Amino acid sequence: MYRARLVRVLALAAALSLGVAGCAQDPDQVQTQQPEDTGKSEPTIEPDPAPTVPADLVTAAGDGNATCPKGTAIAYVGTINGVAAALGRNILNGAKVAVEEHNEANPNCQVKLKEFDTEGTPDKAPGVVTQAINDPEVLGIVGLAFSGESDAVGPTLDRTDLVALSASATNPDLAKNGWKHFFRGLGNDNDQGPVVSRFLDEVLRAEKVCVVQDDSAYGIGLAGIVKKDLGDRVVCDPSVKTDQREFSAVVSEITAAEPDAVFFSGYYPEAAPFVQQLRDARYEGDVIAPDGVRDDEFVKNAGQAAEGTYLTCPCLPAAGFTEFTKRYKEVSGGREPGTYSPEAYDAATILLKGIDEGIKTRAELRDFVRNYKGQGLTKFFEFDENGEVIETPVWVYRVEKGEIVHFKDMSK
Amino acid sequence: MASQALLLAYIGESIDFNIQLLQDRFWANTVDGLAYGAIYALIAIGYTLVYGVLRLINFAHSEVFIVGAFGAYFTFTVLGYQPGVVLDTGLGPLIVNLAAAGIVGALCAGATAVLLERVAYRPLRRHGAPRLVFLITAIGASFVIQQIFFLWRGANAEPSIRLLHPRPVLTIGDVEITNLQIVIVTAALVILLIADMFVNRTRLGRGIRAVADDPDTATLMGVNRDRVITLTFLIGGLLAGAAALFYIMEIPQGVYYRGGFLLGIKAFTAAVLGGIGNIRGAALGGLILGVAENYGQTLFGGEWRDVVAFVLLVGILMFRPTGILGESLGRARA
């Protein structure tokens, strides 16, 4: 009997709360429940065309006359099945395209691409890197994929003659260790900050800007650069925490300041709910965020609110590289090239060029990379004494109809 | 007085001390804080009830909550809702769908809580394990459930699904209150009231209070202790599941394996703040914590959000060691 009463009470509770849900709904809202209105109008700024293949591109195929011994290999070291696996596969598949192109054109030089899965974590990476070091066939590494793991294995790799050319690790500090093995084939986080300020200034012409930073070294660093560049045009600078999902106080501070643009300096798990709650509060200005947010997960999780968000990235769009895209889809089972796929093609190509020139030892290949000069798909490759590439293009992307599409070339 | 002003000025320089902003946004912060605090309150009941009956801090309760969130989320997908677009179903179906998701979420969470009790805690009780072992088991159970969801759904959050697009329906002064906030606060208060009535007015509730007060005597008087404990876990789980529905209505990005962790800690804090073991205390603690967090964040900056919550807790416990309303589930009155 009492059990029956309990059921009744609970049913009543459910009915009551839902009745309230119904009452609180404005009738005209129900009729016009369109996809969420984000308040963004169509861009008045024309997007830049995606870059096409440079005329003087150094291809992986080469002249087709290369010879090398059997059992020559390069390695991809980074996440394949672990965290952020999609990002790792973008890179692995980009490198695969280069190796296939090379092996098809050069019958007397068949290079293997060996795959080492670090799962993307600094605690797993050292063991996996040791495997790569102990494999005598491996002459050079494309990787490591992430900054954290690159940092963790740096000292180990530096005791060997192996070269590690990363197509994606963007923490600026990695190049400050004096490591002789470390090369970076793309701009680092310090190249992105100035681009954010320049884009706010020249393209969006924002007079008042709010800078939101998370509590990561990446977010704080980038926000610092942007705040310094913009000076007193920063009208509010709230901070958020990793794993925070409720941003009402921050949103309320921003809407009170009425900025023309908001820069969110952090990663996509926080950016998605933040941008959604910001748009829910009917903020209608621009939103811009760095490459930590440039991920399909951001679009999936922010939903309609993601529309029109600008995303900076030191990576190039692959849309204009038709031959590369075609081959990429073959090796990836139909997927489009992603973030850092063209950069990975370039990195692998540089290592293959060295092998084509007859290099047979790790030390020689490392010196070859140090002195390398050549045009890649994404940029002209030439490294400074710290292993940083000198030309560092940065693009701004935009979320349109649920896709991240290229928008503006902000390279100087 | 002069030295106090000096001290305030000093603090103002060293950390972001924005009284003006808090004044401007005071009521907006209050409303937002109450809506979020209501969710804390519902979860806090689960901690408080279990503590009242077993003197156990059920750390796995945050995972009971996230199971409810997944349950409600999957109900959305089964009902045909898609990520990204707010489906136009009209008011009637919307209510039915929300009810369905809430019920499924509550049942999933309730079942998880009961299962947890059966599998993890009851065997320990049979063997008369010391209290510390229960605590470690709770932490272990929490990890196990988290990892199950990690292996099943991966590290990324489920793509967000929204049934109700928040829009302001009420404006008082310069404060806009959204439909979502009204729904969450009202529904949560109704549920809290029913839970309170259930424990204080019904025969089953009397059983719970009896076991909380003196388990041995209650057993001698014919109360089935195991049944009361199961019932306690069930109620806590059902409320956590209801909270999960409100949570994913407000934060659609929250459905992922670690999504309950921080909320669980906050809800536990709320329970201690209000007086652990006390239903009204948990409700009050949740609302106070939600509001205080928002004030603190506006006043000191976002990085102080969690600090404010815990400083508040320590501050209150210094003057009222048993929380605002005291530990009183066992005694008949709050």
mmCIF file of all heavy atoms in Angstrom, chain B residues 46-52 54-61 116 121 131-139 142 233 264-265 268-269 271-272 276:
data_model
loop_
_atom_site.group_PDB
_atom_site.id
_atom_site.type_symbol
_atom_site.label_atom_id
_atom_site.label_comp_id
_atom_site.label_asym_id
_atom_site.label_seq_id
_atom_site.Cartn_x
_atom_site.Cartn_y
_atom_site.Cartn_z
ATOM 1 N N GLY B 46 21.375 12.723 -2.134
ATOM 2 C CA GLY B 46 21.881 11.358 -2.186
ATOM 3 C C GLY B 46 23.013 11.151 -1.191
ATOM 4 O O GLY B 46 23.076 10.140 -0.491
ATOM 5 N N TYR B 47 23.937 12.128 -1.124
ATOM 6 C CA TYR B 47 25.038 12.020 -0.167
ATOM 7 C C TYR B 47 24.507 12.028 1.258
ATOM 8 O O TYR B 47 24.912 11.253 2.116
ATOM 9 C CB TYR B 47 26.003 13.206 -0.342
ATOM 10 C CG TYR B 47 26.895 13.097 -1.540
ATOM 11 C CD1 TYR B 47 26.634 13.813 -2.692
ATOM 12 C CD2 TYR B 47 28.018 12.282 -1.518
ATOM 13 C CE1 TYR B 47 27.455 13.730 -3.795
ATOM 14 C CE2 TYR B 47 28.856 12.188 -2.612
ATOM 15 C CZ TYR B 47 28.565 12.916 -3.757
ATOM 16 O OH TYR B 47 29.379 12.818 -4.836
ATOM 17 N N THR B 48 23.580 12.952 1.478
ATOM 18 C CA THR B 48 23.093 13.176 2.827
ATOM 19 C C THR B 48 22.303 11.982 3.362
ATOM 20 O O THR B 48 22.486 11.556 4.497
ATOM 21 C CB THR B 48 22.261 14.475 2.826
ATOM 22 O OG1 THR B 48 22.975 15.459 3.561
ATOM 23 C CG2 THR B 48 20.913 14.307 3.431
ATOM 24 N N LEU B 49 21.432 11.406 2.531
ATOM 25 C CA LEU B 49 20.615 10.280 2.977
ATOM 26 C C LEU B 49 21.494 9.089 3.328
ATOM 27 O O LEU B 49 21.348 8.466 4.383
ATOM 28 C CB LEU B 49 19.620 9.876 1.890
ATOM 29 C CG LEU B 49 18.346 10.710 1.766
ATOM 30 C CD1 LEU B 49 17.515 10.219 0.601
ATOM 31 C CD2 LEU B 49 17.543 10.641 3.055
ATOM 32 N N VAL B 50 22.427 8.768 2.415
ATOM 33 C CA VAL B 50 23.284 7.612 2.652
ATOM 34 C C VAL B 50 24.144 7.840 3.892
ATOM 35 O O VAL B 50 24.329 6.944 4.715
ATOM 36 C CB VAL B 50 24.157 7.322 1.411
ATOM 37 C CG1 VAL B 50 25.229 6.301 1.732
ATOM 38 C CG2 VAL B 50 23.279 6.840 0.274
ATOM 39 N N TYR B 51 24.632 9.073 4.040
ATOM 40 C CA TYR B 51 25.427 9.360 5.222
ATOM 41 C C TYR B 51 24.583 9.218 6.481
ATOM 42 O O TYR B 51 25.013 8.644 7.481
ATOM 43 C CB TYR B 51 26.031 10.769 5.154
ATOM 44 C CG TYR B 51 26.912 11.066 6.339
ATOM 45 C CD1 TYR B 51 28.235 10.667 6.334
ATOM 46 C CD2 TYR B 51 26.406 11.700 7.468
ATOM 47 C CE1 TYR B 51 29.045 10.899 7.427
ATOM 48 C CE2 TYR B 51 27.215 11.936 8.567
ATOM 49 C CZ TYR B 51 28.530 11.530 8.544
ATOM 50 O OH TYR B 51 29.331 11.754 9.628
ATOM 51 N N GLY B 52 23.369 9.722 6.417
ATOM 52 C CA GLY B 52 22.499 9.665 7.577
ATOM 53 C C GLY B 52 22.254 8.237 8.025
ATOM 54 O O GLY B 52 22.255 7.935 9.218
ATOM 55 N N LEU B 54 23.983 5.250 6.905
ATOM 56 C CA LEU B 54 25.134 4.344 7.003
ATOM 57 C C LEU B 54 26.390 4.998 7.569
ATOM 58 O O LEU B 54 27.390 4.324 7.774
ATOM 59 C CB LEU B 54 25.481 3.798 5.607
ATOM 60 C CG LEU B 54 24.613 2.675 5.060
ATOM 61 C CD1 LEU B 54 25.152 2.243 3.708
ATOM 62 C CD2 LEU B 54 24.604 1.498 6.005
ATOM 63 N N ARG B 55 26.366 6.320 7.761
ATOM 64 C CA ARG B 55 27.588 7.056 8.110
ATOM 65 C C ARG B 55 28.678 6.788 7.072
ATOM 66 O O ARG B 55 29.841 6.608 7.388
ATOM 67 C CB ARG B 55 28.101 6.654 9.504
ATOM 68 C CG ARG B 55 27.173 7.024 10.642
ATOM 69 C CD ARG B 55 27.239 8.513 10.960
ATOM 70 N NE ARG B 55 26.302 8.906 12.001
ATOM 71 C CZ ARG B 55 25.052 9.300 11.779
ATOM 72 N NH1 ARG B 55 24.571 9.343 10.538
ATOM 73 N NH2 ARG B 55 24.250 9.648 12.754
ATOM 74 N N LEU B 56 28.251 6.728 5.812
ATOM 75 C CA LEU B 56 29.185 6.442 4.721
ATOM 76 C C LEU B 56 29.117 7.592 3.730
ATOM 77 O O LEU B 56 28.026 8.017 3.337
ATOM 78 C CB LEU B 56 28.776 5.136 4.017
ATOM 79 C CG LEU B 56 29.322 4.935 2.594
ATOM 80 C CD1 LEU B 56 30.814 4.688 2.630
ATOM 81 C CD2 LEU B 56 28.615 3.784 1.900
ATOM 82 N N ILE B 57 30.274 8.094 3.330
ATOM 83 C CA ILE B 57 30.304 9.075 2.246
ATOM 84 C C ILE B 57 30.406 8.286 0.946
ATOM 85 O O ILE B 57 31.435 7.704 0.633
ATOM 86 C CB ILE B 57 31.493 10.035 2.403
ATOM 87 C CG1 ILE B 57 31.337 10.823 3.698
ATOM 88 C CG2 ILE B 57 31.553 10.982 1.229
ATOM 89 C CD1 ILE B 57 32.615 11.460 4.160
ATOM 90 N N ASN B 58 29.319 8.264 0.221
ATOM 91 C CA ASN B 58 29.249 7.441 -0.983
ATOM 92 C C ASN B 58 29.876 8.188 -2.149
ATOM 93 O O ASN B 58 29.190 8.840 -2.933
ATOM 94 C CB ASN B 58 27.782 7.113 -1.275
ATOM 95 C CG ASN B 58 27.633 6.246 -2.500
ATOM 96 O OD1 ASN B 58 28.611 5.676 -2.985
ATOM 97 N ND2 ASN B 58 26.427 6.153 -3.020
ATOM 98 N N PHE B 59 31.195 8.063 -2.290
ATOM 99 C CA PHE B 59 31.878 8.815 -3.331
ATOM 100 C C PHE B 59 31.447 8.401 -4.731
ATOM 101 O O PHE B 59 31.647 9.135 -5.684
ATOM 102 C CB PHE B 59 33.402 8.676 -3.188
ATOM 103 C CG PHE B 59 33.970 9.647 -2.219
ATOM 104 C CD1 PHE B 59 34.529 9.232 -1.037
ATOM 105 C CD2 PHE B 59 33.910 11.000 -2.489
ATOM 106 C CE1 PHE B 59 35.031 10.148 -0.129
ATOM 107 C CE2 PHE B 59 34.407 11.919 -1.591
ATOM 108 C CZ PHE B 59 34.970 11.493 -0.411
ATOM 109 N N ALA B 60 30.869 7.222 -4.863
ATOM 110 C CA ALA B 60 30.425 6.784 -6.187
ATOM 111 C C ALA B 60 29.119 7.462 -6.598
ATOM 112 O O ALA B 60 28.623 7.223 -7.685
ATOM 113 C CB ALA B 60 30.266 5.267 -6.209
ATOM 114 N N HIS B 61 28.577 8.317 -5.739
ATOM 115 C CA HIS B 61 27.317 8.961 -6.086
ATOM 116 C C HIS B 61 27.445 9.849 -7.317
ATOM 117 O O HIS B 61 26.498 10.000 -8.089
ATOM 118 C CB HIS B 61 26.814 9.785 -4.895
ATOM 119 C CG HIS B 61 25.397 10.240 -5.036
ATOM 120 N ND1 HIS B 61 24.344 9.370 -5.216
ATOM 121 C CD2 HIS B 61 24.842 11.481 -5.053
ATOM 122 C CE1 HIS B 61 23.213 10.058 -5.319
ATOM 123 N NE2 HIS B 61 23.496 11.334 -5.232
ATOM 124 N N LEU B 116 24.953 -0.823 -6.807
ATOM 125 C CA LEU B 116 26.179 -0.484 -6.097
ATOM 126 C C LEU B 116 26.095 -0.956 -4.652
ATOM 127 O O LEU B 116 27.034 -1.542 -4.105
ATOM 128 C CB LEU B 116 26.328 1.038 -6.147
ATOM 129 C CG LEU B 116 27.652 1.658 -5.783
ATOM 130 C CD1 LEU B 116 28.675 1.286 -6.829
ATOM 131 C CD2 LEU B 116 27.497 3.175 -5.733
ATOM 132 N N TYR B 121 28.625 -2.597 -1.216
ATOM 133 C CA TYR B 121 28.571 -2.263 0.202
ATOM 134 C C TYR B 121 27.975 -3.370 1.069
ATOM 135 O O TYR B 121 28.416 -3.590 2.185
ATOM 136 C CB TYR B 121 27.785 -0.968 0.420
ATOM 137 C CG TYR B 121 28.347 0.197 -0.353
ATOM 138 C CD1 TYR B 121 27.508 1.096 -0.993
ATOM 139 C CD2 TYR B 121 29.717 0.392 -0.448
ATOM 140 C CE1 TYR B 121 28.027 2.160 -1.709
ATOM 141 C CE2 TYR B 121 30.243 1.453 -1.165
ATOM 142 C CZ TYR B 121 29.389 2.334 -1.795
ATOM 143 O OH TYR B 121 29.898 3.375 -2.496
ATOM 144 N N ARG B 131 34.836 1.201 8.793
ATOM 145 C CA ARG B 131 34.280 2.271 7.973
ATOM 146 C C ARG B 131 35.231 2.713 6.867
ATOM 147 O O ARG B 131 34.821 3.067 5.772
ATOM 148 C CB ARG B 131 33.943 3.450 8.882
ATOM 149 C CG ARG B 131 32.880 4.337 8.309
ATOM 150 C CD ARG B 131 32.355 5.305 9.329
ATOM 151 N NE ARG B 131 31.477 4.678 10.290
ATOM 152 C CZ ARG B 131 31.083 5.263 11.416
ATOM 153 N NH1 ARG B 131 31.509 6.464 11.711
ATOM 154 N NH2 ARG B 131 30.270 4.650 12.237
ATOM 155 N N LEU B 132 36.528 2.677 7.161
ATOM 156 C CA LEU B 132 37.515 3.099 6.175
ATOM 157 C C LEU B 132 37.431 2.252 4.912
ATOM 158 O O LEU B 132 37.581 2.745 3.792
ATOM 159 C CB LEU B 132 38.916 2.985 6.790
ATOM 160 C CG LEU B 132 40.007 3.721 6.019
ATOM 161 C CD1 LEU B 132 39.730 5.205 6.008
ATOM 162 C CD2 LEU B 132 41.362 3.429 6.642
ATOM 163 N N VAL B 133 37.147 0.953 5.088
ATOM 164 C CA VAL B 133 37.061 0.053 3.939
ATOM 165 C C VAL B 133 35.889 0.450 3.035
ATOM 166 O O VAL B 133 35.993 0.431 1.810
ATOM 167 C CB VAL B 133 36.923 -1.404 4.414
ATOM 168 C CG1 VAL B 133 36.703 -2.330 3.237
ATOM 169 C CG2 VAL B 133 38.153 -1.815 5.200
ATOM 170 N N PHE B 134 34.786 0.857 3.669
ATOM 171 C CA PHE B 134 33.646 1.328 2.877
ATOM 172 C C PHE B 134 34.046 2.524 2.013
ATOM 173 O O PHE B 134 33.696 2.623 0.842
ATOM 174 C CB PHE B 134 32.504 1.752 3.806
ATOM 175 C CG PHE B 134 31.685 0.608 4.303
ATOM 176 C CD1 PHE B 134 32.014 -0.048 5.479
ATOM 177 C CD2 PHE B 134 30.577 0.185 3.584
ATOM 178 C CE1 PHE B 134 31.255 -1.100 5.929
ATOM 179 C CE2 PHE B 134 29.811 -0.868 4.032
ATOM 180 C CZ PHE B 134 30.153 -1.520 5.215
ATOM 181 N N LEU B 135 34.786 3.419 2.641
ATOM 182 C CA LEU B 135 35.180 4.653 1.956
ATOM 183 C C LEU B 135 36.046 4.340 0.735
ATOM 184 O O LEU B 135 35.815 4.841 -0.365
ATOM 185 C CB LEU B 135 35.947 5.525 2.945
ATOM 186 C CG LEU B 135 36.040 6.993 2.581
ATOM 187 C CD1 LEU B 135 34.673 7.630 2.658
ATOM 188 C CD2 LEU B 135 37.012 7.692 3.512
ATOM 189 N N ILE B 136 37.032 3.458 0.932
ATOM 190 C CA ILE B 136 37.921 3.095 -0.173
ATOM 191 C C ILE B 136 37.124 2.368 -1.250
ATOM 192 O O ILE B 136 37.318 2.581 -2.449
ATOM 193 C CB ILE B 136 39.071 2.192 0.333
ATOM 194 C CG1 ILE B 136 39.863 2.905 1.428
ATOM 195 C CG2 ILE B 136 39.983 1.786 -0.801
ATOM 196 C CD1 ILE B 136 40.591 4.128 0.990
ATOM 197 N N THR B 137 36.201 1.506 -0.829
ATOM 198 C CA THR B 137 35.367 0.799 -1.797
ATOM 199 C C THR B 137 34.554 1.791 -2.622
ATOM 200 O O THR B 137 34.408 1.629 -3.839
ATOM 201 C CB THR B 137 34.408 -0.161 -1.067
ATOM 202 O OG1 THR B 137 35.174 -0.981 -0.208
ATOM 203 C CG2 THR B 137 33.626 -1.000 -2.051
ATOM 204 N N ALA B 138 34.042 2.831 -1.967
ATOM 205 C CA ALA B 138 33.261 3.833 -2.687
ATOM 206 C C ALA B 138 34.107 4.508 -3.755
ATOM 207 O O ALA B 138 33.672 4.682 -4.893
ATOM 208 C CB ALA B 138 32.722 4.876 -1.703
ATOM 209 N N ILE B 139 35.345 4.845 -3.383
ATOM 210 C CA ILE B 139 36.225 5.492 -4.356
ATOM 211 C C ILE B 139 36.519 4.530 -5.503
ATOM 212 O O ILE B 139 36.477 4.897 -6.680
ATOM 213 C CB ILE B 139 37.533 5.957 -3.673
ATOM 214 C CG1 ILE B 139 37.208 7.058 -2.656
ATOM 215 C CG2 ILE B 139 38.529 6.465 -4.696
ATOM 216 C CD1 ILE B 139 38.373 7.474 -1.789
ATOM 217 N N SER B 142 33.613 4.201 -7.797
ATOM 218 C CA SER B 142 33.524 5.395 -8.620
ATOM 219 C C SER B 142 34.428 5.279 -9.853
ATOM 220 O O SER B 142 34.017 5.540 -10.981
ATOM 221 C CB SER B 142 33.907 6.591 -7.754
ATOM 222 O OG SER B 142 34.274 7.676 -8.531
ATOM 223 N N PHE B 233 19.361 4.207 -0.891
ATOM 224 C CA PHE B 233 20.160 4.333 -2.112
ATOM 225 C C PHE B 233 19.256 4.617 -3.307
ATOM 226 O O PHE B 233 19.597 5.415 -4.180
ATOM 227 C CB PHE B 233 20.967 3.051 -2.349
ATOM 228 C CG PHE B 233 22.296 3.051 -1.637
ATOM 229 C CD1 PHE B 233 22.402 2.616 -0.331
ATOM 230 C CD2 PHE B 233 23.436 3.507 -2.276
ATOM 231 C CE1 PHE B 233 23.616 2.628 0.328
ATOM 232 C CE2 PHE B 233 24.654 3.520 -1.625
ATOM 233 C CZ PHE B 233 24.748 3.079 -0.313
ATOM 234 N N GLY B 264 29.874 16.125 -8.286
ATOM 235 C CA GLY B 264 29.763 15.300 -7.099
ATOM 236 C C GLY B 264 30.464 15.942 -5.916
ATOM 237 O O GLY B 264 29.934 16.002 -4.808
ATOM 238 N N ILE B 265 31.673 16.447 -6.160
ATOM 239 C CA ILE B 265 32.420 17.088 -5.083
ATOM 240 C C ILE B 265 31.672 18.318 -4.575
ATOM 241 O O ILE B 265 31.558 18.552 -3.371
ATOM 242 C CB ILE B 265 33.829 17.469 -5.580
ATOM 243 C CG1 ILE B 265 34.604 16.187 -5.846
ATOM 244 C CG2 ILE B 265 34.535 18.357 -4.571
ATOM 245 C CD1 ILE B 265 36.075 16.374 -5.966
ATOM 246 N N PHE B 268 28.613 17.233 -2.614
ATOM 247 C CA PHE B 268 29.032 16.749 -1.293
ATOM 248 C C PHE B 268 29.334 17.940 -0.378
ATOM 249 O O PHE B 268 28.935 17.968 0.787
ATOM 250 C CB PHE B 268 30.254 15.840 -1.451
ATOM 251 C CG PHE B 268 30.862 15.423 -0.140
ATOM 252 C CD1 PHE B 268 30.130 14.679 0.760
ATOM 253 C CD2 PHE B 268 32.152 15.797 0.189
ATOM 254 C CE1 PHE B 268 30.678 14.307 1.970
ATOM 255 C CE2 PHE B 268 32.704 15.435 1.394
ATOM 256 C CZ PHE B 268 31.970 14.687 2.291
ATOM 257 N N THR B 269 30.043 18.927 -0.942
ATOM 258 C CA THR B 269 30.312 20.151 -0.184
ATOM 259 C C THR B 269 29.008 20.788 0.274
ATOM 260 O O THR B 269 28.880 21.224 1.423
ATOM 261 C CB THR B 269 31.077 21.155 -1.066
ATOM 262 O OG1 THR B 269 32.180 20.484 -1.655
ATOM 263 C CG2 THR B 269 31.566 22.330 -0.259
ATOM 264 N N ALA B 271 26.211 19.349 0.805
ATOM 265 C CA ALA B 271 25.600 18.538 1.852
ATOM 266 C C ALA B 271 26.238 18.828 3.207
ATOM 267 O O ALA B 271 25.562 18.977 4.217
ATOM 268 C CB ALA B 271 25.731 17.056 1.506
ATOM 269 N N VAL B 272 27.578 18.935 3.210
ATOM 270 C CA VAL B 272 28.279 19.226 4.461
ATOM 271 C C VAL B 272 27.945 20.637 4.934
ATOM 272 O O VAL B 272 27.742 20.884 6.126
ATOM 273 C CB VAL B 272 29.800 19.065 4.275
ATOM 274 C CG1 VAL B 272 30.538 19.460 5.542
ATOM 275 C CG2 VAL B 272 30.137 17.642 3.896
ATOM 276 N N ILE B 276 25.384 17.572 7.053
ATOM 277 C CA ILE B 276 25.228 16.296 6.363
ATOM 278 C C ILE B 276 24.321 15.382 7.170
ATOM 279 O O ILE B 276 24.370 15.342 8.398
ATOM 280 C CB ILE B 276 26.579 15.637 6.029
ATOM 281 C CG1 ILE B 276 26.354 14.468 5.072
ATOM 282 C CG2 ILE B 276 27.320 15.197 7.281
ATOM 283 C CD1 ILE B 276 27.495 14.196 4.156
#
